[in-house]
Amino acid sequence: MDHRKDAGVTRVLIPEADIHRRIGEIAAELDDDYRDRTPLMVGVLTGAVTFMADLMRAMTVHVIIDFMAVSSYGAATHSSGVVRILKDLNQDVADRHVLVVEDIVDSGLTLNYLLDNLRRRNPASIQVVALLKKDKDDAFGVQVDRIGFHIPDEFVIGYGLDYAGRYRNLPFIGILDPHIFSAK
Ligand code: IMP
C-alpha cells in the first residue's frame, strides 16, 4: 500500500492557493456581517474542521466556536430525512448569532436537518457558509448563504473531506481515482 497522502488522487480540482484566496474573500464579507456582533460559529464535524480553522483565523471579529456531529442512518433512511445527532453543542444558542460552517452540501439533507434543529432553539439569527456546493437539483432547497465554490457532481476529497476516513489532510480539493472506490 502506498502511504503517501496523495496516492490515488487523479486530479486537483481546487488548488490550495485558490482555497485560501476565496476564504479571505468570505472572511471579509463575514467581518462586515458581524461587525458589531460575536457570532457563534458551529462547525459540522468532521469535514468542516479544516475550513473552520482557516476561516476563523481569516476573520477579524471575535468569534466563539462550537461543534456538532450528525450522521444519517444510511441509504435506506437517507431519503426519509432521518439524521442522528452524535455530538451536540456545548452551549446554548438562544439569542446568539449562529454561523453554521459546512464543508460540502450535496443533497442538502444533513444541513436541512441541522438547521431545523437549530432554529427550534431560538437563535437571534442563523447564517450558513459552505466551502463547496455540488451543482445538482437541490431536493431539499436548503439555506446556504455563502458558498466558496460550486463544483460538479463528483466525489471529492481533501481539505477536510474524506474517503473511508482518509485524505482529510490533503491541502487541496481533489478527485479520486475511481479504482480506489472499486478496490474497497
Ligand atoms: P448531504 O447531506 O447529501 O448534503 O451530504 C453532506 C455530507 O456528506 C457532507 O457533510 C460530507 O460529509 C458528505 N459528502 C457529500 N459529498 C461528499 C464528497 O464529494 N466527498 C466527501 N464527502 C462528501
Side-chain angles (χ1 to χ4, degrees):
M1 183 181 183
D2 189 339
H3 287 281
R4 280 182 55 93
K5 65 183 177 185
D6 61 357
V9 178
T10 52
R11 189 156 69 88
V12 174
L13 186 67
I14 310 174
E16 190 175 356
D18 291 10
I19 296 174
H20 291 288
R21 182 191 43 75
R22 185 73 186 110
I23 286 178
E25 292 170 0
I26 295 173
E29 291 172 8
L30 293 171
D31 279 342
D32 254 10
D33 293 344
Y34 296 106
R35 202 174 307 140
D36 308 312
R37 294 173 292 178
T38 298
L40 172 64
M41 292 177 81
V42 173
V44 186
L45 294 172
T46 303
V49 163
T50 324
F51 178 40
M52 175 108 146
D54 284 339
L55 182 65
M56 68 178 179
R57 283 181 295 175
M59 290 167 71
T60 59
V61 295
H62 279 295
V63 301
I64 290 173
I65 68 166
D66 206 336
F67 292 94
M68 271 181 95
V70 291
S71 157
S72 60
Y73 270 110
T77 49
H78 213 249
S79 57
S80 68
V82 177
V83 177
R84 202 160 45 116
I85 292 186
L86 301 178
K87 185 226 168 287
D88 206 341
L89 297 171
N90 292 333
Q91 52 213 299
D92 199 358
V93 305
D95 302 321
R96 304 300 306 265
H97 294 282
V98 174
L99 174 59
V100 176
V101 181
E102 255 286 26
D103 51 358
I104 186 166
V105 179
D106 185 353
S107 70
L109 171 74
T110 310
L111 189 55
N112 201 47
Y113 171 83
L114 204 74
L115 290 176
D116 271 359
N117 185 286
L118 288 172
R119 279 189 198 109
R120 276 197 286 273
R121 307 183 196 189
N122 300 316
S125 68
I126 299 191
Q127 173 167 196
V128 181
V129 57
L131 180 66
L132 306 172
K133 170 104 168 56
K134 286 192 186 174
D135 273 335
K136 63 192 328 186
D137 288 341
D138 188 355
F140 291 90
V142 70
Q143 172 195 350
V144 190
D145 303 283
R146 298 195 189 285
I147 294 168
F149 300 92
H150 291 269
I151 61 166
D153 190 10
E154 281 187 80
F155 193 80
V156 292
I157 40 87
Y159 197 74
L161 292 161
D162 76 308
Y163 171 67
R166 296 184 189 212
Y167 300 102
R168 292 193 198 275
N169 60 328
L170 286 173
F172 55 82
I173 305 283
I175 307 276
L176 209 52
D177 181 346
H179 290 110
I180 305 264
F181 298 100
S182 45
K184 206 194 164 205

